[in-house]
Amino acid sequence: MYDSWEELRLNCLECKKCGLCEKRNNIVFGCGNMKAEVMFIGEGPGEKEDLLAEPFVGRSGKLLDSMLSEIDLYRNKNIYIANIVKCRPPENRDPLPEEQDSCIDWLRNQVALIKPKIIVAVGRIAAMKIIDPSIKITKQHGFFYKKKKIWMMPTIHPASLLRNPAQKPMVEEDFQNLKQKILEICTHTYIN
Ligand code: URA
């Protein structure tokens, strides 16, 4: 575990712990407020993220940003966004269990430095990895689970919403639940 962001970042940017390092253009470390009380964790970078070195900047990222803004959350202000794996899996396939296992310590270290009160797992892969391997996202999205003093909420991935827009009201409801939880337990997320 690194105590400083700079050390963590520099070491992560050199990572060769799994085969995904071979084809990457960039490591997508994470972005946002390092003092955020709320963290969003997706599964892994896609094509655009790999090119721009920032999470959720493609079509699904735009949708995520717009839904976040509805509850006054912004990546450059009051949240931090990262992924389970930091390098793009080829053809946007799901990251393999061994790739997730190789990468997870970077995320653990980010969580240890940020100390969020709430983590939102964006999509099935992230929810299975950080909340419960047997989670059923279609049934359990929008509910909070407390793990190691952190409230965790799974939600449906915005890429899934792009394929199936009928799911959008469900995610809007998840985000309203999130807003309520923030109002209950966070002290500075909604203060300028
Ligand atoms: N999907 C994810 O899960 N993460 C990203 O960064 C982009 C798309």
Side-chain angles (χ1 to χ4, degrees):
M1 284 272 179
Y2 299 101
D3 297 329
S4 92
W5 273 104
E6 219 22 54
E7 238 189 318
L8 174 64
R9 225 184 123 76
L10 290 175
N11 280 282
C12 180
L13 295 184
E14 308 254 288
C15 183
K16 294 206 169 95
K17 288 200 251 181
C18 82
L20 293 181
C21 69
E22 281 160 29
K23 298 224 166 102
R24 73 181 174 224
N25 287 298
N26 281 296
I27 292 207
V28 181
F29 180 72
C31 73
N33 185 335
M34 291 172 283
K35 296 197 164 79
E37 295 171 298
V38 186
M39 212 174 152
F40 284 75
I41 299 176
E43 69 181 63
E47 185 180 14
K48 206 149 182 198
E49 289 78 17
D50 169 65
L51 290 172
L52 299 178
E54 183 167 334
F56 285 103
V57 286
R59 272 182 78 218
S60 58
K62 299 274 176 280
L63 177 56
L64 180 64
D65 280 344
S66 111
M67 296 182 74
L68 289 172
S69 71
E70 302 278 319
I71 54 165
D72 296 312
L73 297 180
Y74 302 92
R75 62 174 71 207
N76 291 321
K77 187 177 167 201
N78 52 6
I79 57 170
Y80 192 89
I81 307 182
N83 280 306
I84 300 286
V85 298
K86 310 284 191 236
C87 297
R88 182 192 180 199
E91 317 301 327
N92 299 337
R93 64 159 169 74
D94 292 347
L96 303 173
E98 56 266 35
E99 292 161 348
Q100 298 183 35
D101 289 342
S102 305
C103 208
I104 198 74
D105 281 346
W106 300 121
L107 181 63
R108 282 212 182 97
N109 207 148
Q110 288 172 304
V111 172
L113 291 176
I114 295 173
K115 300 188 189 69
K117 293 198 165 131
I118 297 174
I119 292 179
V120 179
V122 183
R124 181 181 60 90
I125 299 281
M128 286 172 66
K129 190 66 186 168
I130 63 179
I131 303 178
D132 173 2
S134 62
I135 202 159
K136 294 279 167 282
I137 191 96
T138 44
K139 288 200 180 136
Q140 292 174 256
H141 69 91
F143 290 95
F144 278 90
Y145 303 86
K146 202 167 191 183
K147 271 188 85 178
K148 294 188 193 156
K149 298 192 182 158
I150 303 177
W151 285 102
M152 305 210 178
M153 185 192 86
T155 191
I156 295 167
H157 199 286
S160 168
L161 299 190
L162 289 171
R163 291 189 296 270
N164 183 3
Q167 289 176 325
K168 202 163 170 221
M170 295 196 265
V171 178
E172 283 165 346
E173 202 178 319
D174 294 356
F175 279 25
Q176 286 305 319
N177 295 349
L178 171 61
K179 183 177 176 180
Q180 286 315 311
K181 187 61 106 186
I182 294 171
L183 289 168
E184 249 172 63
I185 67 168
C186 293
T187 55
H188 56 263
T189 297
Y190 283 144
I191 297 174
N192 293 320

